[in-house]
Amino acid sequence: LGRVLLECDRDKFKGGYFKFFSKIKQAKKEFKVLKESKVYQLKDELKFKNEEDFDFLIKNYALIENLLTHYEALNEIIVLNMAFVLEHFDEISLWLNSKEFKEKYEKENHPYPPLLNPDILNELLAIECDDKQNLKSVLKEQALKLSKEALAYINANLDYRLIPAEKAWKMNLPLPRRYEFIHLSTFGSAYAAMQSMYSWCGVNALCLWNPNDAKDTYLHHYARLMCSKEKPCCIYLDGFNLQVLHQIKFFKLIDAPVSVVAVVRDPLARLKPLINHLSGCRPIMHFNLTFSQDEVLDSVRYYDSVSGEAKRPVVENIKSGASGYGKNNAIKFSLASRIYYLNKKVHYIDMGDISGEKTFDTLKQLAKELHFDPPKEELKETKLKGKINGGDFLGLVPRTLVVHSKDVDRKCKDESSLKRSDVVELVITTESHTSLDKIMDLSRELLGEFTMERLIIYTTNLKAYENLRKDTKTLQATQIWLQNYVKRLKEVIREENAKRINEEQILNYLKKDKEVREFYRKNWKKELTHIKTHRPDIVASWKYYQEFEKMCEEFENQN
């Protein structure tokens, strides 16, 4: 009725009101039909972003009402994508009325039902074709191998490769199933190390550090999965949890029937790297022969929950948000709730099995179970020999010495050669901290008797290094500087290792602070429920957690 009044008033100088009563009669007739429709019955459940969406539905409700039910999540996605639904009505109607949809989504009241059949979309995606212009003809060549529904999708241009990521998210389409497994990471439990290990085994780990909006992670992974065909893929989920916007929806759109890998660790041992975490300070990464070794190596700074940064870690960091302390932070980093929403089989790996000598065999077994290439034998004595992230060299590698002949005779610090191109850059690092597969280790030549286990020195410009070898004076100056550097490096490693908080100190702190102790006990009881059920042997092997539980029981008995 309101629309009739507006139209008549708009055309009042053209005789708009002469048709007023006939238009009112027609409006009442249309409204009577509308009141008897499903759209009107569900009017309080439908959600519209704007008036245009409402008008569009009213004009097309006779067709759309056939798809609307009391399944609110479905109604919402239909309203949100009305133009697409009308364009592909037959294909969408067939899917939404199928037994498969009703069993898998409607019956379970799935919160994010997809508008298109994911199985059909993945069936088509399995047919390789990078040419979008000729995609339809390439797919039709495989017609005899495809289902009738798949052929209908081909004719309607419904294919992952033709659907933008934003549109796919809006229609609740699960991520393309081009991944072999999921890695569910936890901060403090080989978060960065496992990414490196997967890459050394040829696995393409899709990861995006994203504490803000999981929709961005979906868009990133969708695009990467569209490009990934050769390497086996895994979705590498960061350590953030359900407080991230859209995180539950993102988890629900990872629907392939694959395993979840989760590295777990003695909870007190897991607190150790979080308490000893480095601050965000920027060390001197490039330096030349005019720099002092003390200045370059005075680079380790720790996070301090009070001052922000300190030269030594403090056990009080156990009460910081970064360690997961406090109700909101416990939820933010919860592993148990992420496992619940992913709803998949979990393959637990104890941290002890990816440390030292066990690492190679663990990776080999994991590769066999998850169908990726096993680690190469040479990795056993190189990248997999020591700690991959952290350890003795935490905050101290990689570093780069820039060598130029003019720096040899300079008595004062001079940074000018750092900007020159005619230099030799010597990278000081460890095997596990370099992404390069093949390097020539120059440490024995440059350090002589001062070589250090796991420490390597290399250059990416061997031609420039050959010229350095011919310059005896500069080469000797470089060797002396590096030998003094390694001497000081060993001292710094001893000093920093002595500063770092260990599990015994964490236990002692928890023994004295009842409030913190009871918080972690309650949180760990909830977090460890799933692993205690499925891998009690791992929990039983955790020395410090068992001591912590024993301590808590003793306090209870005293009370």
Side-chain angles (χ1 to χ4, degrees):
L1 291 174
R3 187 175 290 108
V4 168
L5 285 169
L6 289 171
E7 286 176 358
C8 290
D9 190 66
R10 183 190 64 202
D11 299 330
K12 59 188 175 185
F13 297 117
K14 301 177 183 178
Y17 283 102
F18 288 122
K19 300 178 182 178
F20 180 70
F21 291 106
S22 63
K23 286 189 174 184
I24 289 289
K25 189 176 179 180
Q26 180 63 27
K28 286 182 176 180
K29 185 179 177 181
E30 290 177 1
F31 183 66
K32 186 180 179 182
V33 175
L34 177 62
K35 279 187 74 174
E36 295 171 357
S37 72
K38 288 182 184 176
V39 171
Y40 191 81
Q41 293 169 28
L42 297 168
K43 66 183 187 301
D44 296 327
E45 298 173 17
L46 299 177
K47 299 173 185 176
F48 300 92
K49 284 193 172 182
N50 49 55
E51 188 179 339
E52 287 75 16
D53 285 350
F54 176 75
D55 287 342
F56 190 85
L57 176 63
I58 294 302
K59 290 175 183 176
N60 298 281
Y61 78 87
L63 193 60
I64 288 179
E65 75 163 342
N66 294 318
L67 301 178
L68 298 176
T69 68
H70 286 282
Y71 182 11
E72 289 185 28
L74 175 60
N75 294 339
E76 187 175 339
I77 207 70
I78 288 171
V79 169
L80 194 63
N81 296 274
M82 281 187 294
F84 186 87
V85 170
L86 290 172
E87 183 183 355
H88 301 287
F89 185 83
D90 291 342
E91 292 79 23
I92 290 173
S93 178
L94 183 66
W95 162 236
L96 298 184
N97 287 293
S98 68
K99 181 182 177 182
E100 182 185 355
F101 179 85
K102 295 192 179 296
E103 288 287 326
K104 190 173 181 180
Y105 297 98
E106 191 168 339
K107 184 180 177 182
E108 299 297 324
N109 198 27
H110 192 292
Y112 305 102
L115 270 184
L116 297 173
N117 187 338
D119 292 341
I120 299 299
L121 291 173
N122 282 286
E123 182 184 349
L124 296 177
L125 189 61
I127 302 171
E128 290 189 14
C129 179
D130 294 326
D131 184 1
K132 291 182 181 180
Q133 300 294 327
N134 297 311
L135 180 61
K136 183 183 280 191
S137 58
V138 171
L139 293 176
K140 282 189 172 182
E141 288 174 5
Q142 306 293 324
L144 295 176
K145 301 177 184 178
L146 299 171
S147 62
K148 288 183 180 179
E149 192 176 347
L151 291 173
Y153 274 42
I154 292 171
N155 289 326
N157 288 321
L158 297 175
D159 188 287
Y160 268 127
R161 285 160 288 205
L162 301 175
I163 301 173
E166 279 276 359
K167 187 66 178 173
W169 171 266
K170 192 177 176 183
M171 296 194 298
N172 292 342
L173 298 187
L175 284 173
R177 297 170 191 157
R178 280 181 163 177
Y179 49 94
E180 277 67 37
F181 63 97
I182 299 162
H183 185 94
L184 187 56
S185 59
T186 309
F187 299 128
S189 299
Y191 173 78
M194 284 304 296
Q195 290 183 62
S196 298
M197 288 189 227
Y198 286 139
S199 70
W200 298 334
C201 295
V203 176
N204 185 10
L206 306 185
C207 184
L208 183 68
W209 175 275
N210 183 12
N212 301 315
D213 189 346
K215 177 185 174 183
D216 296 331
T217 309
Y218 173 94
L219 299 179
H220 172 270
H221 287 6
Y222 188 98
R224 291 281 302 276
L225 288 166
M226 286 293 93
C227 302
S228 180
K229 292 182 296 182
E230 296 174 4
K231 279 187 176 183
C233 271
C234 90
I235 292 180
Y236 200 97
L237 297 175
D238 61 31
F240 296 108
N241 195 42
L242 308 179
Q243 286 186 326
V244 174
L245 185 65
H246 296 126
Q247 190 81 305
I248 294 176
K249 176 175 179 178
F250 172 54
F251 283 175
K252 290 292 184 182
L253 297 185
I254 306 173
D255 78 333
V258 297
S259 295
V260 171
V261 176
V263 175
V264 287
R265 187 176 189 178
D266 186 321
L268 283 96
R270 182 180 161 267
L271 281 174
K272 192 169 64 169
L274 301 176
I275 291 171
N276 294 312
H277 205 283
L278 299 183
S279 72
C281 72
R282 294 186 177 183
I284 302 172
M285 300 299 291
H286 289 74
F287 41 86
N288 59 33
L289 296 171
T290 69
F291 283 61
S292 75
Q293 289 83 354
D294 284 339
E295 179 189 9
V296 173
L297 288 167
D298 183 24
S299 62
V300 181
R301 297 291 183 275
Y302 298 93
Y303 166 73
D304 188 309
S305 57
V306 177
S307 63
E309 183 177 295
K311 277 206 165 189
R312 63 171 55 244
V314 291
V315 72
E316 285 77 14
N317 282 347
I318 197 173
K319 294 196 291 184
S320 72
S323 295
Y325 184 72
K327 183 180 178 181
N328 288 337
N329 292 305
I331 296 169
K332 187 176 180 180
F333 301 121
S334 170
L335 178 67
S337 53
R338 286 182 284 154
I339 287 172
Y340 172 79
Y341 278 102
L342 285 169
N343 192 26
K344 300 182 190 298
K345 179 184 175 183
V346 181
H347 183 116
Y348 284 111
I349 299 175
D350 183 47
M351 185 75 171
D353 291 330
I354 52 165
S355 301
E357 294 179 359
K358 290 184 178 181
T359 308
F360 184 82
D361 291 333
T362 301
L363 270 183
K364 203 171 179 181
Q365 181 61 30
L366 193 63
K368 184 178 179 182
E369 293 176 17
L370 298 176
H371 313 294
F372 60 83
D373 293 337
K376 294 176 181 176
E377 197 69 32
E378 56 262 31
L379 291 177
K380 199 171 185 178
E381 295 302 319
T382 54
K383 294 182 184 293
L384 297 176
K385 192 173 184 180
K387 283 199 74 172
I388 293 166
N389 190 41
D392 288 348
F393 295 94
L394 178 67
L396 295 168
V397 295
R399 298 289 186 270
T400 302
L401 174 64
V402 177
V403 180
H404 193 276
S405 58
K406 288 191 176 180
D407 289 331
V408 175
D409 296 321
R410 287 191 170 117
K411 304 299 181 185
C412 300
K413 181 179 172 181
D414 188 319
E415 300 183 17
S416 59
S417 64
L418 299 180
K419 300 173 184 177
R420 299 180 67 112
S421 58
D422 57 335
V423 293
V424 181
E425 293 190 346
L426 298 173
V427 182
I428 307 162
T429 188
T430 65
E431 287 273 8
S432 57
H433 281 86
T434 176
S435 59
L436 300 176
D437 291 328
K438 293 182 180 180
I439 55 173
M440 182 185 291
D441 183 11
L442 305 169
S443 59
R444 189 162 297 281
E445 178 180 350
L446 293 168
L447 298 175
E449 64 185 60
F450 295 96
T451 54
M452 186 176 177
E453 188 177 6
R454 294 189 59 218
L455 192 75
I456 62 171
I457 301 173
Y458 73 89
T459 181
T460 55
N461 190 342
L462 288 173
K463 187 176 180 181
Y465 185 73
E466 285 300 323
N467 292 330
L468 174 62
R469 276 177 170 157
K470 297 171 185 175
D471 184 346
T472 307
K473 182 179 178 181
T474 305
L475 179 62
Q476 287 179 349
T478 302
Q479 289 169 326
I480 293 169
W481 195 97
L482 283 170
Q483 289 165 8
N484 289 327
Y485 180 85
V486 170
K487 285 181 194 175
R488 181 60 189 140
L489 176 61
K490 290 178 180 178
E491 292 171 359
V492 170
I493 287 173
R494 283 194 295 270
E495 291 165 6
E496 297 305 324
N497 282 342
K499 291 178 188 177
R500 289 173 189 147
I501 307 299
N502 59 34
E503 291 92 343
E504 296 290 347
Q505 290 169 287
I506 295 170
L507 265 176
N508 287 333
Y509 184 89
L510 293 172
K511 188 175 183 179
K512 296 172 187 175
D513 195 315
K514 181 182 177 182
E515 184 181 344
V516 177
R517 179 176 69 248
E518 289 184 349
F519 166 80
Y520 278 110
R521 191 185 191 197
K522 183 180 178 182
N523 182 51
W524 290 338
K525 184 178 180 180
K526 178 184 175 184
E527 283 295 303
L528 300 177
T529 300
H530 190 272
I531 185 173
K532 281 180 178 178
T533 303
H534 297 276
R535 288 296 306 273
D537 57 306
I538 290 180
V539 179
S541 72
W542 289 340
K543 173 186 173 184
Y544 295 104
Y545 177 67
Q546 299 304 328
E547 288 184 28
F548 172 76
E549 279 296 323
K550 184 180 177 182
M551 177 180 72
C552 292
E553 288 171 9
E554 288 173 355
F555 276 116
E556 283 181 354
N557 292 334
Q558 288 173 14
N559 293 331

